[in-house]
Amino acid sequence: LITLQQAVLYRSATLLGVYKEADLPLQAADMCNNGKMADILPSDDLQDIMTPINLNDSLIFAGAIEVELQRKLVVDLRDVARLAPFRQYETRSGRKIGVRMTAAGDYGWTSDREGYRYEPRQPDGDPWPEIPISLFEIWQQYTDCSRKPQCCLVNYYGEKTRMGLHQDNDEADFSLPVLSISLGDDALFRVGGRLRSDPSKSIWLKSGDVCLLTGQSRLAFHGIDKLRLGSSKLLPNKGRINVTMR
Ligand code: MD6
Ligand code: FE
């Protein structure tokens, strides 16, 4: 677990605080995981069903979501994309990010020449659509966290799209997990440690896999090195969707 000092350090770097208690007094951290820290996940029920792969303390539930539900998630994500189209954002330096992104929930992740941040509105001023219930149910099942995720980020990877090593550290409370769902083509996922230079391990994430960054791995550097384009039949135009809730 991160020390308090580290937490304060990370918090000062927070842009717009997701899970900021002052903004959301009804969502106190102790509502999560029945008052326990959210580091001993998943719920007991789930551990009976499936043992996750532990990759540098990230937890990977291989094949967690069956094909029928994967299809339903894609349908629901199309509805999200109708209200909040996938966009190609720029970084502060003006470089175009290869992954196309949209979001649902109270906040979406955006980036432009002013940098990246969580925003309560889309770049065109519209609010983000609601997080589909189908996705929220997966959050509930795998995190044992009674709080709703405030941001559901949806990333689309086409041919040759990568995601550089990064930490998910713009949230206000790192005792809460980040859950990811992979849909479509296989992707080579790399997870290291708290430092960019820490040794890393890799695994091919497949359609229907659920991955949790929680506890020791919550602030681990991670990224996507490459795709196996066309390895899945789920998305008619190939590619991969990764959904992360936090
Ligand atoms: C991806 N995943 O799978 C990138 N972040 O396309 C992430 O960036 C990620 O898998 C936080 C938690 C789990 C993840
Ligand atoms: Fe991430």
Side-chain angles (χ1 to χ4, degrees):
L1 284 172
I2 52 170
T3 64
L4 191 63
Q5 205 175 15
Q6 279 172 311
V8 169
L9 206 80
Y10 282 117
R11 266 166 204 271
S12 64
T14 299
L15 293 166
L16 208 164
V18 169
Y19 294 129
K20 225 180 223 168
E21 303 303 343
D23 298 344
L24 296 159
L26 296 179
Q27 296 194 333
D30 61 4
M31 282 174 62
C32 196
N33 206 20
N34 303 322
K36 289 175 288 189
M37 291 289 278
D39 58 340
I40 314 166
L41 299 167
S43 69
D44 295 344
D45 293 359
L46 197 76
Q47 273 167 340
D48 292 342
I49 303 168
M50 185 182 276
T51 308
I53 297 164
N54 181 315
L55 196 73
N56 277 341
D57 292 323
S58 71
L59 301 178
I60 293 151
F61 297 87
I65 300 170
E66 56 173 3
V67 178
E68 273 312 297
L69 181 52
Q70 292 177 40
R71 293 202 184 104
K72 161 85 173 128
L73 297 180
V74 171
V75 168
D76 291 350
L77 287 168
R78 283 212 179 93
D79 289 340
V80 168
R82 228 165 263 133
L83 296 165
F86 281 94
R87 293 180 171 93
Q88 196 170 19
Y89 293 118
E90 284 188 333
T91 62
R92 193 191 284 280
S93 65
R95 187 181 60 82
K96 279 223 189 297
I97 298 174
V99 177
R100 283 164 201 270
M101 301 175 164
T102 187
D106 295 340
Y107 296 91
W109 191 93
T110 71
S111 181
D112 57 25
R113 296 302 286 256
E114 289 178 0
Y116 59 83
R117 60 204 174 266
Y118 285 113
E119 283 279 7
R121 295 196 167 263
Q122 301 183 42
D124 64 8
D126 284 350
W128 301 100
E130 284 208 32
I131 298 176
I133 290 164
S134 54
L135 288 170
F136 177 55
E137 282 174 353
I138 293 169
W139 167 268
Q140 283 183 309
Q141 191 183 354
Y142 284 84
T143 68
D144 203 11
C145 182
S146 55
R147 186 193 294 225
K148 265 174 119 174
Q150 288 180 293
C151 172
C152 171
L153 178 59
V154 189
N155 289 337
Y156 176 79
Y157 296 72
E159 192 174 8
K160 302 225 168 103
T161 313
R162 308 170 56 251
M163 164 92 66
L165 275 187
H166 67 278
Q167 289 171 300
D168 285 40
N169 61 4
D170 297 313
E171 299 77 25
D173 187 345
F174 300 133
S175 70
L176 300 173
V178 181
L179 178 148
S180 100
I181 302 166
S182 293
L183 296 167
D185 290 339
D186 303 349
L188 190 58
F189 180 63
R190 179 196 291 273
V191 194
R194 292 274 181 73
L195 300 176
R196 191 176 281 278
S197 56
D198 284 341
S200 63
K201 292 179 179 169
S202 296
I203 192 170
W204 283 96
L205 288 180
K206 299 202 159 81
S207 197
D209 289 357
V210 167
C211 167
L212 276 175
L213 291 191
T214 183
Q216 292 289 355
S217 67
R218 177 62 183 77
L219 292 169
F221 275 90
H222 58 280
I224 295 290
D225 290 336
K226 58 181 169 185
L227 248 63
R228 272 184 194 139
L229 202 76
S231 50
S232 159
K233 296 270 166 282
L234 187 74
L235 304 174
N237 294 322
K238 304 187 183 171
R240 170 174 183 262
I241 291 173
N242 179 257
V243 176
T244 47
M245 289 180 275
R246 70 286 303 280

PDB file of all heavy atoms in Angstrom, residues 166 168 222 246, ligand 2:
ATOM      1  N   HIS A 166       2.194   3.946 -18.637  1.00  0.00           N
ATOM      2  CA  HIS A 166       1.650   5.058 -17.840  1.00  0.00           C
ATOM      3  C   HIS A 166       1.149   4.542 -16.495  1.00  0.00           C
ATOM      4  O   HIS A 166       0.957   3.345 -16.315  1.00  0.00           O
ATOM      5  CB  HIS A 166       0.488   5.735 -18.594  1.00  0.00           C
ATOM      6  CG  HIS A 166      -0.716   4.843 -18.734  1.00  0.00           C
ATOM      7  ND1 HIS A 166      -0.815   3.895 -19.725  1.00  0.00           N
ATOM      8  CD2 HIS A 166      -1.851   4.740 -17.996  1.00  0.00           C
ATOM      9  CE1 HIS A 166      -1.970   3.249 -19.595  1.00  0.00           C
ATOM     10  NE2 HIS A 166      -2.615   3.744 -18.544  1.00  0.00           N
ATOM     11  N   ASP A 168      -2.147   5.184 -13.808  1.00  0.00           N
ATOM     12  CA  ASP A 168      -3.443   5.847 -13.651  1.00  0.00           C
ATOM     13  C   ASP A 168      -3.385   6.548 -12.292  1.00  0.00           C
ATOM     14  O   ASP A 168      -3.697   5.940 -11.269  1.00  0.00           O
ATOM     15  CB  ASP A 168      -4.587   4.815 -13.691  1.00  0.00           C
ATOM     16  CG  ASP A 168      -4.854   4.312 -15.099  1.00  0.00           C
ATOM     17  OD1 ASP A 168      -3.888   4.082 -15.841  1.00  0.00           O
ATOM     18  OD2 ASP A 168      -6.037   4.171 -15.454  1.00  0.00           O
ATOM     19  N   HIS A 222       1.897   0.608 -16.666  1.00  0.00           N
ATOM     20  CA  HIS A 222       1.350  -0.424 -17.542  1.00  0.00           C
ATOM     21  C   HIS A 222       1.080   0.179 -18.919  1.00  0.00           C
ATOM     22  O   HIS A 222       0.960   1.406 -19.042  1.00  0.00           O
ATOM     23  CB  HIS A 222       0.062  -1.008 -16.952  1.00  0.00           C
ATOM     24  CG  HIS A 222      -0.990   0.035 -16.716  1.00  0.00           C
ATOM     25  ND1 HIS A 222      -0.979   0.863 -15.616  1.00  0.00           N
ATOM     26  CD2 HIS A 222      -2.070   0.411 -17.449  1.00  0.00           C
ATOM     27  CE1 HIS A 222      -2.008   1.691 -15.681  1.00  0.00           C
ATOM     28  NE2 HIS A 222      -2.691   1.441 -16.784  1.00  0.00           N
ATOM     29  N   ARG A 246     -13.280   3.648 -13.053  1.00  0.00           N
ATOM     30  CA  ARG A 246     -12.612   4.086 -11.839  1.00  0.00           C
ATOM     31  C   ARG A 246     -13.468   5.142 -11.167  1.00  0.00           C
ATOM     32  O   ARG A 246     -14.383   5.694 -11.760  1.00  0.00           O
ATOM     33  CB  ARG A 246     -11.200   4.588 -12.108  1.00  0.00           C
ATOM     34  CG  ARG A 246     -11.039   5.912 -12.853  1.00  0.00           C
ATOM     35  CD  ARG A 246     -11.310   5.937 -14.322  1.00  0.00           C
ATOM     36  NE  ARG A 246     -10.556   5.027 -15.174  1.00  0.00           N
ATOM     37  CZ  ARG A 246      -9.308   5.227 -15.592  1.00  0.00           C
ATOM     38  NH1 ARG A 246      -8.671   6.289 -15.225  1.00  0.00           N
ATOM     39  NH2 ARG A 246      -8.743   4.380 -16.426  1.00  0.00           N
TER      40      ARG A 246
HETATM   41 FE    FE B   2      -4.253   2.692 -17.496  1.00  0.00          FE
END
